[in-house]
Each structure stands twice: as C-alpha cells, then as structure tokens.
Amino acid sequence: MKLNGLIAICVCIGSMFSITPLSAQDAQSKGKLVIIGGGPRPSSMVDRIIKESGIDKSGYGIILPMSSAEPDSAIYYSGKQFIEKGLKNIYGLDFVKDEVLTKSKVDSIRNAKMIYISGGDQNRFMDIIAGTEIEKAIHHAYNNGNLIAGTSAGAAVMSKMMITGAELKHPEYASTFRNIDVDNIEIGTGLGMLTNVIIDQHFVKRSRYNRLISAVIEHPEMLGIGIDEATAILVVGTDAEIIGDSQVIVLKNPKRSKNVHGDKLGAHDIQLNIYLPGEHFQLN
C-alpha cells in the first residue's frame, strides 16, 4: 500500500477546529498513554493504539519525529503500520528549534486524537519543544482525553524526570550502565505526562538494570519502570496494563534506602516485580 502524503507536513488541520479554554473539569479529564519500550511493534499493539484512540472512527493522528536525526524516515516508519491497516488520517508534523510557530500547526497537535512520538534521542526532542506551545499543546490534547504514545526516546520523555542516557562519571557511551555509582545517572526534564515515575526502555534486551537501580536509589520517591522492546504500558488514570510481547520491570525503594561506600551505591529492601502481557499494576 502506498504511503501517499505520510511525510507531508500537515499545517492546516487545526484551522478546521475551534479552540476554547479548558474549564476546571476539563483540566481534570485525562487521556491515555501508550509508552513503548522500543523495537518492533506487534500488530496487536498497533490495533490497541487504534482502538484506544478511536482514530479509526474519527479525528486524526499526528507523528512528532523530532527525536530523530532523520525526521522524514521517522514519520515514514512510525506511520507505516497504521497506513497498512487502512488508516488515511495519520500525518507527520515536524518542528525545528526556535521555530516561529503558526497557530495552525500548534492547533493540529491540540486537536489530535492520537499523538505519536518517534524514537531517536530524547534530549533532542526536549531541546526543541521544552517550554514552547508545542509542549503545551501535547498536554492540552492529553487533558482533553486523547491518546499520547511514544516509543524508545518517545517513551523516555513521558516522565518528568527523564533518563538522558548519559553517565556523569563514565562519559563514554554504553547501552547499559556497567556500575551502580553515586551521582552517576544524569536526569533531565521530560514532558511530565507522568510525574511520579522514571521510564527506561529497551530494558530487558539491553540489560539496563544497573541504570534503573541507580535511579530508584538516588530518587527513591519515584517508581522505576523498565519497558522491554515490543512491549508497552497502557496508562489510564493510575492503572498501567502491559501490552505487547515481553516484560515490564517495576522497581520500588519503599524505605528510601541509600548507602554509600566510596563511590558505590547500596540499598536494602528494593522491590522488583516482573509483569507480563495482560497484567496490571498501579502507578500510585
């Protein structure tokens, strides 16, 4: 099936909709999140995103490719499975840093029934959208009951405390931490769709346990959620359901334990749960 128009930038959709201020009741109405650990998306996962967002019945979906160094390719591959399932209402919408934003582009995000954030580099994405009307528009869509999805880097940005991928004490990049050291994990600021968790991705495949263990010791008030490839959590309110093919690892530090010996971190009574597809856990 041809992907006609998929990588065309959609700048006019928002003009079809009127914008009204959020009431207090609307502001409390939350949408849904699909946070994907990267890797391939099972067909059933794409079906679930379509069902939960309702874009097969009305409205449209927007792909935000700014995490990627090749945004056109990110739009193509992010949208491919949706298009192959017969949807013709998926559009790519790219932005660059310090872009002068038009009302029509911002409104296209505000009114989207599904917003999908591609993989790549979460720091690149936040550098472009942090503090802008783009960020506000994503939250507006979510508060109005719409679905926000993201994979890999697009998963990392979902939490307020965002793992950047960098180690402060070991600047040479490795896909997983080789140490559990004090003051080593670098935390940035993400979108904050969830404020009481830290998200990690590609988790089981890339054995990122040391990284998330470090995070929940250094930030014990947070729930650490490691999502494997081809797997996601569907968040509705405080409920998280595992969808896809693999596992989700959840780490808690309920006693806020933290011990230090030299530059090594220790802790006692860390809780670890491994959730399988179809299972649920609570974010509160």
Side-chain angles (χ1 to χ4, degrees), residues 123-243:
N123 305 293
R124 181 186 292 115
F125 184 87
M126 292 308 304
D127 186 51
I128 292 171
I129 69 105
T132 71
E133 292 299 316
I134 306 166
E135 183 175 26
K136 293 177 184 177
I138 295 170
H139 280 273
H140 176 98
Y142 179 58
N143 288 332
N144 269 7
N146 298 316
L147 184 143
I148 315 297
T151 187
S152 190
V157 302
M158 293 289 188
S159 54
K160 186 69 173 179
M161 296 187 69
M162 180 186 77
I163 291 177
T164 69
E167 295 186 65
L168 297 175
K169 292 185 174 180
H170 309 281
E172 68 284 1
Y173 177 76
S175 63
T176 185
F177 281 23
R178 289 162 291 186
N179 306 278
I180 304 177
D181 287 352
V182 67
D183 298 327
N184 183 39
I185 186 168
E186 182 180 69
I187 298 291
T189 301
L191 275 170
M193 312 310 295
L194 298 173
T195 58
N196 63 335
V197 309
I198 297 177
I199 301 289
D200 208 341
Q201 7 74 24
H202 302 278
F203 195 77
V204 178
K205 287 288 189 294
R206 299 186 186 180
S207 193
R208 285 179 164 167
Y209 298 90
N210 287 354
R211 188 158 83 175
L212 199 58
I213 289 170
S214 299
V216 298
I217 296 175
E218 298 274 37
H219 305 281
E221 72 281 7
M222 295 290 161
L223 191 69
I225 302 176
I227 306 172
D228 199 21
E229 295 181 2
T231 309
I233 57 172
L234 168 63
V235 178
V236 182
T238 61
D239 181 76
E241 177 188 352
I242 289 73
I243 59 176

